[in-house]
Amino acid sequence: TSEGKSTSLTALAADLHAFFSLAKSSVPTTYGTNMKPVLAQLLRAKKLELPNSLGNEMRGILRQPANLAALLEAYQRKLTENDSIDLDDLLGLAVALVQGREEDTNTPQYELVRLLKGPQGNLFTVGDPDQAIYGWRGANPVNMEQVFQDHYPDGQLLYLTSNYRSGANIIRTAEAVLAHNGLPKLHKPLVAKKPDPGHVEH
């Protein structure tokens, strides 16, 4: 039915947009960047979901990096024609402009901060290695754990370990989980400052 086709196309558009959003979040900026290898890598990681209603032939066509790159290029061209940018390009555009690129245009966030810091290397950042929860938006915990330290080996790390929100029992339970997950290289045990120890049930 026409209603069924419309639903399928809407689902396809949403899936492709989510995939392109993830791709854009994997590079400093899409402007001047060959996106085909990026799309291919995400395909190998099985990051593209497609509606089952498309059929195997169409799904196979859309899983080709060259075809996806062409679709992304057409999408970007349509944005430009309508004097528009999407949410992902807000950062990518800023990176491209700071880099001095001529084209109008969570790797993008990191690259933007790195470019804005200036030659003196004066930079102050805040992050929680135990709450890297924005993977669905392309956030990359490696930026915190390794990339930052590679770029700024002389940087000083300050750990805020006093917890005023939860009692000792809750903190102890959380530590049992965090010690085996997240970013263990950056994790520091928390110290409960709240008098009430709290209660935990499983």
Side-chain angles (χ1 to χ4, degrees):
T1 65
S2 59
E3 182 179 349
K5 289 181 179 179
S6 176
T7 302
S8 179
L9 288 175
T10 300
L12 173 60
D15 289 337
L16 287 174
H17 186 268
F19 183 71
F20 290 153
S21 176
L22 183 60
K24 289 181 178 185
S25 298
S26 302
V27 295
T29 179
T30 57
Y31 297 91
T33 301
N34 179 9
M35 294 298 293
K36 185 176 176 181
V38 178
L39 297 170
Q41 183 178 2
L42 291 175
L43 280 173
R44 288 193 295 270
K46 299 181 179 179
K47 297 295 185 180
L48 175 60
E49 300 290 339
L50 292 172
N52 292 326
S53 56
L54 284 179
N56 291 333
E57 183 178 0
M58 181 58 69
R59 288 161 66 89
I61 291 173
L62 289 174
R63 290 188 185 279
Q64 296 298 318
N67 294 335
L68 285 171
L71 280 174
L72 177 56
E73 184 179 343
Y75 170 66
Q76 292 296 115
R77 186 167 57 249
K78 185 60 68 173
L79 286 175
T80 301
E81 290 173 357
N82 287 277
D83 296 321
S84 302
I85 59 174
D86 62 16
L87 182 61
D88 299 290
D89 282 335
L90 285 175
L91 286 170
L93 172 61
V95 170
L97 292 176
V98 174
Q99 286 177 338
R101 300 193 182 192
E102 295 180 359
E103 301 95 331
D104 283 338
T105 67
N106 262 339
T107 299
Q109 292 173 325
Y110 182 83
E111 183 71 6
L112 180 59
V113 169
R114 193 177 69 84
L115 290 167
L116 289 175
K117 69 165 182 61
Q120 301 303 318
N122 296 321
L123 178 64
F124 181 87
T125 65
V126 178
D128 188 341
D130 297 324
Q131 297 195 64
I133 59 175
Y134 285 95
W136 61 277
R137 284 284 299 132
N140 187 1
V142 175
N143 284 339
M144 189 187 306
E145 186 174 36
Q146 190 62 48
V147 177
F148 185 88
Q149 295 180 51
D150 288 345
H151 282 166
Y152 311 106
D154 297 328
Q156 183 180 6
L157 294 179
L158 303 176
Y159 294 95
L160 305 180
T161 58
S162 297
N163 186 295
Y164 296 89
R165 181 178 184 181
S166 302
N169 289 337
I170 295 174
I171 293 296
R172 189 161 45 247
T173 303
E175 286 292 336
V177 175
L178 295 173
H180 303 283
N181 297 278
L183 303 175
K185 286 172 58 179
L186 295 180
H187 176 72
K188 297 294 180 183
L190 297 177
V191 178
K193 297 296 184 179
K194 190 175 182 178
D196 181 5
H199 180 65
V200 178
E201 288 186 12
H202 175 63

